[in-house]
Amino acid sequence: MSLIAELQERGLIQDIMPGTEEQLNKEQTSAYVGFDPTADSLHVGSLLPITLLMRLQRAGHKPYALVGGATGLIGDPSGKSSERNLLDMDTIQAYCAGIRKQLEKFLDFDESKPNAAVMLNNYNWLKDYSFLDFIRDIGKHITVNYMLSKESVQKRLETGLSFTEFSYQLIQGFDFYHLNHQLGVKLQMGGADQWGNMVTGTELIRRKGGGDAFAFTCPLVTKADGSKFGKSEGGNIWLDPAKTSPYQFYQFWLNQDDTDAERMSYIFSFRPVAEIRALAEEHKTAPHLRKLQKALAEELTILVHSKDDLERAQRASEI
């Protein structure tokens, strides 16, 4: 089964550009996901893009993790109802370092392998780019009408959108152009709220010299009731054990209701789809045993923390 076919079976494809599946089936493809440095740790909401990169690498392709050291200084308006507070450079750099350390746990960065993961920071190529050069070399290729048509911009026009945040999609588009032009990265992946920014990147690549460029998005992860996924009464569920203990992390997955546990298994688990379906059917015969929740909690606690942490969390849960 191809990577795209498996992602579709798991309900992980929302928007996809024509030719994406053919590109991935044709050759080893370099693809990237962007991570916004808004804290010194990623949280469970970040697990979807992380597992996307893991699935990509396991399928033989080359993953790039792009940390937005530059775009983090601006703030992405996508999915936001108000302007974000701007962070200073020292804080952003500290957040980027924390994210890098975490991603090294999930991806294989062994440079001797042809599909070794690569981590980049867009601050490295944007810091020396002057404003005049940017609006002359990049801005002239994308019209204001095109940028205004994006849903993420339309939603924010009602409440107010600064030029700073309006420029975000152009900068993210330039990131894709830079990675495509310099490193041969042909695919960008991300959440559904990023579709407009991603298409701007493919359009910039097309208008500024051609080259193959593709993109697909995954549905945003929400609970069955439509509420935001990844938070508990205590706030975000972090991947950093100093912020969210392995016990709390384990309990978060164990406490999912039946509907969410089944959906999250398809999204986050690396078990074959057929195995998840069988487990879901088995769960329905004795839901009080919470077999689906336990299987998901065990797998993800080992993935994010360790087997020892899982065993300690299980002992604490029994007590």
Side-chain angles (χ1 to χ4, degrees), residues 17-20 23 29-30 176-177 180 184-188 198-206 210-216:
M17 290 194 69
T20 301
Q23 170 61 38
T29 301
S30 296
F176 196 179
Y177 169 78
N180 179 271
V185 175
K186 293 185 176 181
L187 172 63
Q188 183 179 178
M198 293 160 73
V199 172
T200 297
T202 62
E203 188 70 8
L204 185 60
I205 291 167
R206 184 184 69 80
D212 293 329
F214 305 92
F216 73 78

Side-chain angles (χ1 to χ4, degrees), residues 53-315:
L53 289 173
M54 292 174 70
R55 295 184 201 280
L56 180 92
Q57 189 171 41
R58 292 182 182 190
H61 302 291
K62 189 174 181 68
Y64 283 78
L66 178 63
V67 181
T71 39
L73 292 168
I74 296 171
D76 181 5
S78 303
K80 309 293 187 303
S81 59
S82 60
E83 187 97 2
R84 289 195 314 196
N85 293 328
L86 297 181
L87 302 173
D88 61 73
M89 177 54 68
D90 289 342
T91 301
I92 290 285
Q93 294 299 81
Y95 288 176
C96 289
I99 291 172
R100 177 183 177 87
K101 183 179 178 183
Q102 287 182 332
L103 289 178
E104 287 173 344
K105 182 178 179 64
F106 302 102
L107 300 169
D108 186 352
F109 287 86
D110 183 353
E111 294 180 4
S112 66
K113 297 179 180 177
N115 69 328
V118 177
M119 187 170 303
L120 299 169
N121 185 335
N122 65 3
Y123 182 72
N124 292 334
W125 57 81
L126 285 168
K127 65 179 177 9
D128 297 323
Y129 218 124
S130 77
F131 178 71
L132 290 176
D133 286 340
F134 188 83
I135 60 175
R136 184 192 65 191
D137 297 342
I138 308 302
K140 70 177 181 180
H141 293 285
I142 303 295
T143 67
V144 171
N145 289 1
Y146 181 86
M147 295 173 72
L148 284 171
S149 69
K150 302 303 180 186
E151 184 181 358
S152 60
V153 173
Q154 287 290 322
K155 287 182 177 179
R156 282 292 303 280
L157 286 177
E158 300 170 6
T159 57
L161 179 68
S162 70
F163 175 78
T164 301
E165 286 195 335
F166 181 59
S167 67
Y168 188 95
Q169 67 167 290
L170 200 55
I171 297 175
Q172 184 173 326
F174 176 64
D175 283 341
F176 196 179
Y177 169 78
H178 175 86
L179 294 173
N180 179 271
H181 185 66
Q182 297 294 329
L183 299 169
V185 175
K186 293 185 176 181
L187 172 63
Q188 183 179 178
M189 308 177 291
D193 59 342
Q194 293 295 313
W195 181 244
N197 295 341
M198 293 160 73
V199 172
T200 297
T202 62
E203 188 70 8
L204 185 60
I205 291 167
R206 184 184 69 80
R207 295 185 184 186
K208 200 170 157 52
D212 293 329
F214 305 92
F216 73 78
T217 63
C218 300
L220 296 178
V221 183
T222 58
K223 294 182 180 179
D225 62 8
S227 63
K228 189 172 183 179
F229 172 79
K231 291 195 174 185
S232 68
E233 291 180 4
N236 280 326
I237 301 298
W238 302 97
L239 305 190
D240 184 345
K243 288 176 172 286
T244 298
S245 71
Y247 168 76
Q248 292 171 310
F249 185 87
Y250 175 75
Q251 285 290 324
F252 170 77
W253 297 102
L254 199 61
N255 291 329
Q256 298 295 313
D257 68 30
D258 290 350
T259 301
D260 286 331
E262 183 172 352
R263 286 179 60 245
M264 300 310 161
S265 295
Y266 289 113
I267 292 170
F268 295 111
S269 174
F270 284 88
R271 298 172 188 268
V273 169
E275 189 176 322
I276 295 172
R277 285 189 184 132
L279 187 60
E281 289 302 313
E282 186 180 348
H283 173 86
K284 289 173 184 175
T285 63
H288 63 285
L289 297 178
R290 303 185 74 76
K291 288 185 178 181
L292 201 55
Q293 286 89 337
K294 286 180 180 178
L296 184 61
E298 288 171 6
E299 181 181 357
L300 294 182
T301 302
I302 292 174
L303 177 69
V304 173
H305 297 291
S306 69
K307 190 171 182 180
D308 288 342
D309 286 324
L310 168 64
E311 291 171 354
R312 283 191 286 269
Q314 288 174 321
R315 286 197 297 270

Side-chain angles (χ1 to χ4, degrees), residues 28-75:
Q28 183 187 94
T29 301
S30 296
Y32 88 98
V33 169
F35 293 90
D36 211 4
T38 54
D40 59 357
S41 171
L42 299 171
H43 49 77
V44 295
S46 311
L47 269 182
L48 177 52
I50 289 172
T51 54
L52 269 183
L53 289 173
M54 292 174 70
R55 295 184 201 280
L56 180 92
Q57 189 171 41
R58 292 182 182 190
H61 302 291
K62 189 174 181 68
Y64 283 78
L66 178 63
V67 181
T71 39
L73 292 168
I74 296 171

